[in-house]
Amino acid sequence: MSENGGTTLVEAVNLALARELERDPSVVVLGEDVGVNGGVFRATAGLQRRFGEARVLDTPLAETLIAGMSVGLAAQGFRPVAEIQFMGFIHSTLDQMLNHAARLRNRTRGRLTCPMVLRAPFGGGIHAPEHHSESTEALFAHIPGLRVVIPSSPARAYGLLLAAIRDPDPVVFLEPKRIYRALKEPVADDGQALPLDACFVLREGRDVTLVTWGALVRETLAAADTLAGEGVEAEVIDVATVKPLDTETILASVARTGRCVIVHEAARSGGVGAEIAAVLAERGLTTLLAPVVRVTGYDTVMPLYRLEHLYLPDEARILAAVRGVMEYA
Amino acid sequence: MSENGGTTLVEAVNLALARELERDPSVVVLGEDVGVNGGVFRATAGLQRRFGEARVLDTPLAETLIAGMSVGLAAQGFRPVAEIQFMGFIHSTLDQMLNHAARLRNRTRGRLTCPMVLRAPFGGGIHAPEHHSESTEALFAHIPGLRVVIPSSPARAYGLLLAAIRDPDPVVFLEPKRIYRALKEPVADDGQALPLDACFVLREGRDVTLVTWGALVRETLAAADTLAGEGVEAEVIDVATVKPLDTETILASVARTGRCVIVHEAARSGGVGAEIAAVLAERGLTTLLAPVVRVTGYDTVMPLYRLEHLYLPDEARILAAVRGVMEYA
Amino acid sequence: MTTVARFTVDYTRFLDPSGKAVAELPAFARDPASLVALYRAMVLTRAFDARAVALQRTGRLGTYASTLGQEAIGAALGEAMAPEDVLVPSYRETGAQIARGVRMSELLLYWGGDERGSRFTGPREDFPVSVPVASQSCHAVGVALAFRLRNEPRVAVSVCGDGATSKGDFYESLNAAGVWRLPLVFLVNNNQWAISVPRSRQSAAETIAQKAVAAGFRGEQVDGNDAVALRAVLEAAIERARKGGGPTLVEALTYRLCDHTTADDASRYRPAEEVSGHWAEDPVVRLRNHLVAAGAWRKAEEEALLDECARTVEAAVAEYESLPPQDPASLFDYLYAELPAALREQREALIRGGGGDE
Amino acid sequence: MTTVARFTVDYTRFLDPSGKAVAELPAFARDPASLVALYRAMVLTRAFDARAVALQRTGRLGTYASTLGQEAIGAALGEAMAPEDVLVPSYRETGAQIARGVRMSELLLYWGGDERGSRFTGPREDFPVSVPVASQSCHAVGVALAFRLRNEPRVAVSVCGDGATSKGDFYESLNAAGVWRLPLVFLVNNNQWAISVPRSRQSAAETIAQKAVAAGFRGEQVDGNDAVALRAVLEAAIERARKGGGPTLVEALTYRLCDHTTADDASRYRPAEEVSGHWAEDPVVRLRNHLVAAGAWRKAEEEALLDECARTVEAAVAEYESLPPQDPASLFDYLYAELPAALREQREALIRGGGGDE
Ligand SMILES: Cc1ncc(C[n+]2csc(CCOP(=O)(O)OP(=O)(O)O)c2C)c(N)n1
Ligand SMILES: Cc1ncc(C[n+]2csc(CCOP(=O)(O)OP(=O)(O)O)c2C)c(N)n1
Ligand SMILES: [Mg+2]
Ligand SMILES: [Mg+2]
């Protein structure tokens, strides 16, 4: 799809949307500027031209409505895939997602269901304006009845988005926009979904387990490479589905390595990393040879872009944390 | 204030509101039905009659507005104390609380500030209708720039609410409605605030640390009594301010006891208990003699009232967890 | 300065409070016998309401929201909607729900704190009660859009109260329905109160109907205690929507003769005289008077009807009370289509009898 | 059926696109010299905008939202508001912000990703830019209520775009302002586009002004490229509000001649001819033509003004670029009045150079 053979993450999103629009007439794409404009990040580029205005709809500027009407469409058997333009504007969907999307099946004992996807680009690092760099996945990850899925590569974006759209329950699908175009890899548009609710072990290692998701998978893998040069073999786990958590994979890995560093961009307190560390403290305690360390955004407001580099965890911080953990006797 | 000398928690809230309305002309109370009706739980009973319609305002039925206009009032030097009728309806304030209330000071480098309080009754156990039993404090506790405060007794409700109103920054103040009237104690209406950002150690003990907040403080204290009869001395910590967390008190306690059970009503995954357990895994690991156990609501939707007793943690579950932790070798 | 846009709001009433026709009746109403069904539905709703309140008072039901004084709305809506249409209700649409085939035992289950009350065996696509006011308007937009996308001649009806019209999601929904000219009717039960907040403190708009002006479509007022007017206006709005004429906002002007819910004590905030004054507008009496005057209803029929309603309601109560509680596992079994592995342990722990905290 | 409410929306224009008066001018405009200030403000805004866009293109500024074609709004608002009033802006009020005394270097700082840009040294109670569209309307309600509670003759002005009027918080704010008859003017910059969504797809309402009908107060349209009309209408609305006459919604009909922001490419979704057609309405040219025709403006003055604006803007750029970046600790130092103990370690770790992850 791209000049030099590879596919970017945002192109993979586009491929997955097109594939499902093609395959399943109940799929509709909706959101602000998703039509003619193809989305402010081009995730929906060309879809309206190809599938028509009835399948790819520009909505009025109203996020609560976007989430709420998706509930209505989904209850009627459609599979709405709604885009929220930036995660900073997703918070007014919380009422609908928590009170309705996540509960419709349970409330009606399965009579009505809510197979919807709420997509949003998230995270910092692209020098964007205020409110355009949020990472608030933990808010959604606390809500029973939801799934929260975060891809970290083009291939996983493709396969996980297919899975999210096909899933019979509501999925919040968060796309790390910092790597929308930063990396390319061959993506076969073969309609093969990847499993939800499962971590991906991206690198095996016996010395320490690095647990992460989204854009920071890149820095974490780079750190693992650097560590390998120092004789430390790090296992790298991409959590991918942060709700519900595949704790078994993480526990099994830490049972082998005895050490765990969790890396995420969101503010530390109450981030998804807290849940992972808590699970280790509950069910992996005896396997721990060192404290569980979190390398995360600070408990501050994401700063405007001039200082955002200070906020974002980077390879150096990951390395420092891992070295600390390794030295721990 | 009450027949038999004691003051209930909801009466203590009322006393604190009246005290601050009296003391500080910049305090205004607003919300749905807070005026003539005195609030659906009577927390604002009599205040409009006493302080007038300019100080105690019924708003239109619009939670986003209630939070957002409070930001405007606060920026103008008022100290709005807004009531959200039930926590189930608080989620549409999240956009305003996260994007504005929590950020106004930071965004303007201190030029404008946001000394507002958003009060809401929360939690289950009163056989209320759907959406009237939520415990979603973790959503707010993840937001940098906010404080989240939860009293667990009439005296602490009084003292902490005074502190919240006097605090120069936004505070989400969550009132455990299950114990609004369930217990009474003498409350001196002396205008003495209690400290924010600090846990209360309600009971000292050397064997295990029980960490909790809100309505479940009662069951936890009861469990501690039962345990004392079995020769287990439990320390009971009421976290009170769940954001920011007073981790020092918790760490110090666990350093002494070596064991920790966390009790909360909210869904387990990503609850505030996760952050506490994570802090123990990071900074208290060597002091832990047993896994950190969480006794919490399930990762399910709070059921309608007929089955809510199955959802709510109770003394039996606390006891079972503590006994498990104590037996751990 | 030139005038670039003009709007009006119309008001419809056919029967005055005494039941006398004040305008030429619509076709369906000229044969008074055809109004009997409307009347019967209102009486049944009132009987159910009274029983539900009584059950709550004796601890056999949870908090309940009566529709006393507002029965004409549900009865008329029940007749105006086609079975294949979809109702998206708030918590005060008991009458319409019954009329559409939700079992009374299901309604009791819902208010009795049991999720099975929302697994309707009747109108399978109707939405369950929405407690967060106005939030359901957005769902109705999605439902109506689904009809449009599938080219089905069906209509969604979203119902909420006067207080709910202050909420942003109400307006977002109106606006979207206008943009897409959706087959969607917004019905507002303007019962003058939102718990303790009177209509005058809820909005400075002279009418609720005019809120549709903001969204570019028709809003109209109707006497909400006049079942004939309600049925006529709702039928017209629904048929217009069905034929591609777009949405309508219908404001039904009525009065909440009851407390907000059984958890409320309205005497704290409104004078008894205001309430008793509104009893003169009682929609049930109004239609009965009309039928009696037309010779279409007699004392014996009234007695038989009351008797029948009492029996129907009693049977529903018996059904409600005979149903064993749900299994504890039900807390988990409807959360997702398939239980995620992460939740298996919690479910097992719950079944074992609570705990299972690791 | 009777009509129970009627509404109209008026439209005001004084100058036609060529600058000719089409109606009797308001008092302030009869002396054309008095319009020069208005004109100068517009030209300065345009100069600033052009420079900001250029800075962005060369990587010296972040994403920027130009106001090209919409300069009359900010200039007129700047004149209509009193210094003690409070502006509650969106991100496209550069003109009004400059007119109210926000330093251009501060504006550059904000768009340059530096929080100090919102610590205005000028209008100290004005709100900073609000990025989440319409959310600021709620703040304006609070500000206006504060004025009312303190009995101050001050007015809040909330500004947003046409797209923002689809959001629920916009409506919640209108409704509350209506209920309390607040000293609050809602100004909508209807530039016909919300990024790629045209006005016609945003709402079926014939005018944005009529959205005020939903809230029970006056809404009016004004030619948003006619600075004279804008000033007249805004002054009247603000003075009415100041005197207790309640809120007004003013819809300024204009056109976004620029891309949405520097991150946008509008050619993807709107034809070049549409844009070039709207250049004929250019508010700057319109007022200049008017002044020139009235003999109140000459070529030399124009040249001097352009020169002066260029120098003023350049000085602001120099000031912006000379400011050293904020201290890393600034990430923590404005979060709370006093840093909570729980954050001390994180702050220290950051100062030490990142990390400090335990
Ligand atoms: C979003 C939301 N906020 C608050 C409540 C609490 N509440 C329940 S009913 C009600 C008043 C609703 O009034 P109205 O819309 O007029 O409907 P009515 O009850 O009169 O039928 C309130 C405030 C709620 N259910 N939802
Ligand atoms: C709540 C929210 N949703 C989405 C966005 C992203 N966004 C920024 S500007 C814009 C369009 C706004 O259009 P309009 O209100 O007409 O203002 P204009 O930009 O034309 O001045 C959108 C969708 C946002 N800033 N806030
Ligand atoms: Mg009402
Ligand atoms: Mg616009």
Side-chain angles (χ1 to χ4, degrees), chain A residues 32-33 40 61-63 84-86 88-90 92 130-132, chain B residues 95 99, chain D residues 65-66 70 90-93 130-135 160-167 169 188-197 202 256 259-261:
Chain A
E32 296 160 11
D33 304 291
V40 294
L61 208 174
E63 282 80 8
I84 298 297
Q85 206 158 75
F86 287 90
F89 313 126
I90 209 171
S92 45
E130 209 174 352
H131 300 283
H132 289 63
Chain B
D95 182 55
N99 280 333
Chain D
S66 164
Q70 303 144 75
S90 90
Y91 46 80
R92 217 182 286 281
E93 273 64 69
S130 172
V131 169
V133 307
S135 63
C160 69
D162 46 316
T165 68
S166 294
K167 270 196 79 223
D169 33 13
V188 177
N189 170 347
N190 177 359
N191 62 11
Q192 315 289 335
W193 290 90
I195 309 186
S196 73
V197 179
Q202 198 62 246
R256 199 191 79 208
D259 289 338
H260 170 67
T261 64

Side-chain angles (χ1 to χ4, degrees), chain B residues 29 33 36 51 68 72 74 145 171 177 180 210 215 255 258 284-285 299 307-308 310 316 318:
Chain B
V29 166
D33 305 291
V36 183
F51 297 100
V171 178
K177 60 177 171 298
Y180 257 162
L210 309 185
L285 189 71
D299 285 322
L307 296 187
E308 73 173 331
L310 295 173
I318 300 169

Side-chain angles (χ1 to χ4, degrees), chain A residues 268-303:
Chain A
R268 177 171 311 174
S269 290
V272 174
E275 179 60 28
I276 295 168
V279 168
L280 290 170
E282 281 171 339
R283 293 166 55 200
L285 188 71
T286 50
T287 69
L288 285 175
L289 303 173
V292 178
V293 171
R294 288 179 285 171
V295 178
T296 69
Y298 298 104
D299 285 322
T300 62
V301 173
M302 162 64 88

Side-chain angles (χ1 to χ4, degrees), chain A residues 95 99, chain B residues 32-33 40 60-63 66 84-86 88-90 92 130-132, chain C residues 65-66 70 90-93 130-135 160-167 169 188-197 202 256 259-261:
Chain A
D95 182 55
N99 280 335
Chain B
E32 296 159 10
D33 305 291
V40 294
L61 208 174
E63 283 79 8
I66 290 171
I84 299 296
Q85 206 158 75
F86 288 90
F89 313 125
I90 208 171
S92 45
E130 210 175 351
H131 301 283
H132 288 64
Chain C
S66 164
Q70 304 144 74
S90 90
Y91 46 81
R92 218 183 285 282
E93 272 66 68
S130 174
V131 169
V133 306
S135 63
C160 69
D162 46 316
T165 69
S166 294
K167 270 196 79 222
D169 34 12
V188 177
N189 170 347
N190 177 359
N191 61 13
Q192 316 289 335
W193 291 90
I195 309 186
S196 73
V197 179
Q202 197 63 246
R256 199 190 78 208
D259 289 338
H260 169 67
T261 63

Side-chain angles (χ1 to χ4, degrees), chain B residues 255-284:
Chain B
R256 275 184 284 105
T257 63
R259 299 169 206 265
C260 183
V261 172
I262 302 162
V263 183
H264 64 67
E265 185 173 322
R268 177 171 311 173
S269 289
V272 174
E275 179 60 29
I276 295 168
V279 168
L280 290 170
E282 282 172 338
R283 293 167 54 200

Side-chain angles (χ1 to χ4, degrees), chain A residues 242-257:
Chain A
V242 300
K243 169 77 172 190
L245 272 180
D246 168 11
T247 51
E248 296 314 318
T249 300
I250 298 169
L251 284 165
S253 173
V254 177
R256 276 183 283 104
T257 64

Side-chain angles (χ1 to χ4, degrees), chain C residues 29-60:
Chain C
R30 278 187 219 133
D31 173 10
S34 80
L35 294 177
V36 166
L38 210 46
Y39 178 67
R40 297 176 65 95
M42 289 164 66
V43 172
L44 179 59
T45 303
R46 187 163 288 188
F48 177 82
D49 255 351
R51 194 73 185 88
V53 171
L55 286 172
Q56 191 281 332
R57 298 293 182 224
T58 53
R60 291 156 68 193

